[in-house]
Amino acid sequence: MLIHLTNGNQRLTLHTRGATIFGWDPGTGESALDGYQSVPEFDRLDGHRNCLLIPWTNRVAHQEWNDNGTMRGVRELSPEGLHGFAFDVEFTVAGLLEDRVNHSSDVHIEGDHIDLVATLEASEAFPGPIDVTVRYDISHEGVLRIGVSARNTSERDIPLGLGWHPYFKVASVRDARVWVPATHRIVVDDDGIPLPALRAFRPIKSDRKGDPLAATAANAVSKADGSEALAPPPAWLPESDVLHEINLHDELDTAFTGLHNDEDARAHAYLDTGLGYGVEIAMGVGRTDTAGQGSVRSGTGSAEQPNRAAVPCRSNFHIFTGNDLARDPGLAIALEPCTVMPDMLNREEEKGRVSISSGDTRTLDVVVAILH
């Protein structure tokens, strides 16, 4: 079922399967997100456009994992063991009257937010159940806020990761620019699986400097002597010692970690779309336990591990330039906030970090804002 949520000039279109956003018009008359354009395209699931990634993100090596001595295969839930399986679960719109529900038709709602709920049942591939609640909020023009809450309602500990796979429209990969508050990139093998132990982490710098791929139409300007230099950053980009510009190219499919949290306990990444506006995407991670601790904002970087130089496993922004998308390759960039690294289920240190006890809840808070 397609839901059309309207608040003033803002419009959000989503499908109840996976609580998946098809489009978000921030008040400009056009969607800033490049989602599926039809249900048949969604059925093909090419690119996991704007899908929620629960209970893991990205790949699982050999499509199987060791669950305390029991090998579990995930291929039946997710092709290639990719991006969890919540994207294939039907969500219910909280508060929507039953007589308005027809899963073959569209529903139009006037309001500033919508809540959707679903349960990820236990299976041979993954433990459960896990109760998931998603809120999409468009109460402020030019701002989309996404709140994801996943509660372990089983009687055992469960490794639980959360993420979102948004594609933002860009003029082209050549014209776009991205900055992330990260210290390291996650290094993977030819199958997209991180290398063992600390070999998976390599320090990053502003790698456009001296890189021939930096000399692009949008990002380089000609100097009087005929040489080229990087164009200045857009005026809306905040001055920061922790932001690193990432060298975008057609084959980029990389996670960046060691995230720095700002005073709001969120990590902020920035995208210059080349379309005359920018996008800020902020990620916060939280936890609610059963021991009376209430809500705890665990952060995405230094709050989880004081020694950022030690390169622990942690949340990341995964950047994918979409060169192999079936539709409009190179015209959208995925800038994915993820609470866990790829192949989390086969890395004991990461699996231990993100496991939650029975009754506990993990949350992901994402704020997307259009910048001018």
Side-chain angles (χ1 to χ4, degrees), residues 215 220-229:
V221 294
S222 297
K223 298 169 67 175
D225 60 4
S227 62
E228 290 185 323

Side-chain angles (χ1 to χ4, degrees), residues 71-248:
M71 295 305 299
R72 293 179 179 262
V74 300
R75 191 188 301 271
E76 65 179 71
L77 294 178
S78 173
E80 301 180 280
L82 194 61
H83 295 324
F85 56 92
F87 54 76
D88 200 33
V89 174
E90 189 69 26
F91 279 68
T92 299
V93 180
L96 189 63
L97 297 178
E98 191 66 27
D99 60 5
R100 295 188 62 187
V101 175
N102 181 340
H103 290 283
S104 64
S105 65
D106 296 4
V107 173
H108 295 264
I109 300 175
E110 296 279 344
D112 60 12
H113 71 274
I114 187 170
D115 295 312
L116 301 103
V117 296
T119 297
L120 309 186
E121 299 291 352
S123 70
E124 293 183 1
F126 203 86
I130 302 168
D131 289 344
V132 179
T133 302
V134 180
R135 168 168 287 198
Y136 294 121
D137 186 305
I138 54 171
S139 56
H140 296 90
E141 189 164 320
V143 177
L144 169 63
R145 183 162 184 166
I146 301 166
V148 182
S149 171
R151 183 172 183 265
N152 176 7
T153 54
S154 75
E155 297 181 355
R156 51 157 290 177
D157 291 356
I158 292 180
L160 184 57
L162 305 175
W164 182 44
H165 203 301
Y167 284 86
F168 296 98
K169 292 181 178 179
V170 297
S172 70
V173 172
R174 179 181 174 88
D175 294 329
R177 301 175 75 173
V178 171
W179 293 262
V180 293
T183 58
H184 291 75
R185 69 180 69 235
I186 296 178
V187 184
V188 299
D189 62 19
D190 292 341
D191 295 322
I193 302 302
L195 299 183
L198 293 183
R199 290 173 54 203
F201 305 97
R202 187 171 70 201
I204 64 170
K205 296 181 179 179
S206 295
D207 59 359
R208 286 185 177 274
K209 295 179 180 178
D211 190 321
L213 289 173
T216 64
N219 302 322
V221 294
S222 297
K223 298 169 67 175
D225 60 4
S227 62
E228 290 185 323
L230 283 177
W236 45 257
L237 185 74
E239 294 185 8
S240 173
D241 294 333
V242 300
L243 285 176
H244 292 281
E245 185 170 4
I246 303 303
N247 182 36
L248 300 179

